[in-house]
Amino acid sequence: MAAKTTFEIGPAGKTAGNYTDVAMAYLQDEKTTGDIDNINLEELDLTTDEFILDEVDIHIQANLEDDLVKEALRTGVDLRQYSKQVESELHRIEQASIKDYIKESQNIASLHNQITACDSILERMEGMLSGFQSDLSSISSEIQTLQQQSVSMNVRLKNRQAVRSHLSQLVDELVVPGAMICTILDSPVTDQEFLEQLHELNSKINFAKELSFRETLACSDIQDIVDRLKLKFLLANERTVAKEIRDEYVDTMSKIYCSYFKSYSSRLLKVQYEDVADKDDLMGVEDTAKKGFFSKPSLKSRNTIFTLGQRGAILSPAELEGPILVPHTAQRGDSRYPYETLFRSQHYALLDNGCREFLFLSDFFMVVGNSALDLFNSIMGKTLSMFLKSMSTYVSDCYDSIAVFLCIHIILRFRAITTKRDIPALNKYWEAVLEMLWPRFELILEMNIHSIRNTDPQKLGVLDTRPHYITRRYAEFSSAIVSINQTFPNERTNLLLGQLQVEVENFVLKMAAEFPSRRDQLVFLINNYDMMLSVLMERAADDSKEVEGFQQLLLARTQEFIEEILSSPFGGMIAFVKEAEALMEKGHLDRLKSEEARITQLVRGFSATWKQSVEAMSRDVMRSFTNFKNGTSIIQGALTQLIQYYHGFHKILNQPAFRSLAVRSELINLHHLMVEVKKHKPNF
């Protein structure tokens, strides 16, 4: 084992320590980079072969060269004590530093917050600068776009300037300035200015003619003004030429209109229904009537000529002013139309062309009032005469009263349209048509009235309590006329409808008289009144004279029928109640005291048979009436009337004269009777 090496420090020759002491001093030096706490001196084996003394000497020699170690060796300082002193000083400085840090903690925190705020501000400034950079990029792109647009606009401007140089002369030659118009219209023809403007106008007319061959659209814009100025000059200064132009126009347009409407009207007639009414298709003519051998076949169903159906739609605004029919298209589709549809199409074409022609004549030829009407008639006169002649031929052989009435109301509406447009040109024609149609309609209506008046019930076939076909014809026809007549009421029409209603009521009574029993008569009357009322209420107003009249008749006959059906099963009780009530009013009820046996029979008979009687009555009523709703109403009325009679029967037996009767205890409770009666009420 090697000997322990010692050092002599200072002049006293004291031993500074062994290797361990030197190592401690070395490690305590402030220049030492290690941590003495991490060195375990007990594990330092200086006796092993691995420890090389030369290397230790080198390290020691290096440390001895340190200024601080030299000073310590020179003064004889104990390195251990010095190390502790340094360590203590470091601890003191550390504690002082901590106190200073704690003392300045608020300032440090404030500084930290300020630094954080500065970071946020800097972050926002960074975002703003980034946005500004993006905006600069966008502005750069927009500047490039504007630059391109500027170049494009510059090109278009140059093109327009080039075009303007070419068009300026064309526009100057074509445009008609206001000064020229005023001069030609107002200045005397002897003025030099008028001649200059006239010469200029002539140049413009010639130039416009030249350009018209090139199909220049600008020519059509000035053509109307140029023509009117030329016409004004002609009317004022060249009346002969103006008259020649006018006469030529009148002659040409008169022929054109006449030819067009003649051809159109003849083609329209080819798409009319082939089945039309004749003089034998009247309301009172029986369906079983036969015609002669050479007579043309009648309508498949006479009822159709008395039914409005969809024909009334022709008066709606959509169809009234709708497009006119195209005959060849209708023929190609094999379509057929009633006369009023052809009439509407023909006269709407007349109305449209007539209004346009009148406005053109007034404007072009500068005429107003009677002069305008005379000029219009000179052009359209042949056409209007042709229309009237054609209508006269049709009307003289027409027996379709609904078609004639629809034509009348078509004319009334067309007349209102021309009045609204302030076009008086067709007023006389409208009046002429109405003067032709009204008498024919009244004649056909009177023929139907006479046909019903002269009807023989015995020739109308087998008797039937259901609604008669003649009353159905009347109901359909009357409702049609009443509904059409509401917009333009006509008193003469209302008067004729009133006469027709009277004749139908008489006819129904004559037909009812053919039945042997009063019950069947009432069933027939109620069925017919109910049917006519139902049809009328579909189209006519509820307060119309026809509706109110049949409502009263139906109510009266229904009440009579209720009494009739109650009289058979409950006639004895009803007669007793009526007799007793009459005596009670006079104060002579005591006269019936001797009728105890009769009363007993009535009470027990009602209690025993009323249910069966009510059921039989309900079945009979429902079989008798074609309208289930009407039958239900009659049964309800009969049951209500029965309860009222039985209630009267109760009241009479509660009088002092009958209180002693033992049979009173056998009376059915009125409330119980009402509950039981409701069970027999039919529901439909």
Side-chain angles (χ1 to χ4, degrees), residues 170-194:
L170 175 66
V171 174
D172 291 340
E173 292 291 339
L174 284 177
V175 70
V176 180
M180 175 184 291
I181 297 174
C182 294
T183 301
I184 294 177
L185 292 178
D186 301 332
S187 300
V189 294
T190 56
D191 286 359
Q192 180 65 28
E193 185 179 3
F194 178 84

Side-chain angles (χ1 to χ4, degrees), residues 123-184:
E123 183 178 359
R124 289 201 301 271
M125 290 183 65
E126 181 181 5
M128 291 173 60
L129 291 174
S130 298
F132 182 68
Q133 183 179 9
S134 177
D135 292 341
L136 287 177
S137 300
S138 176
I139 291 173
S140 176
S141 176
E142 291 179 359
I143 290 173
Q144 291 178 357
T145 302
L146 290 174
Q147 185 178 9
Q148 293 174 357
Q149 292 178 354
S150 175
V151 172
S152 176
M153 292 176 65
N154 188 32
V155 172
R156 290 201 299 269
L157 177 61
K158 291 180 179 179
N159 291 338
R160 290 182 180 181
Q161 288 176 344
V163 172
R164 179 180 180 183
S165 62
H166 291 86
L167 289 180
S168 59
Q169 183 178 359
L170 175 66
V171 174
D172 291 340
E173 292 291 339
L174 284 177
V175 70
V176 180
M180 175 184 291
I181 297 174
C182 294
T183 301
I184 294 177

Side-chain angles (χ1 to χ4, degrees), residues 464-492:
D464 193 340
T465 58
R466 291 175 296 182
H468 199 275
Y469 59 83
I470 290 182
T471 58
R472 180 169 292 279
R473 291 175 186 172
Y474 161 76
E476 295 286 353
F477 176 78
S478 182
S479 65
I481 300 302
V482 169
S483 63
I484 296 172
N485 199 46
Q486 289 176 351
T487 306
F488 293 91
N490 180 267
E491 290 302 322
R492 175 63 178 166

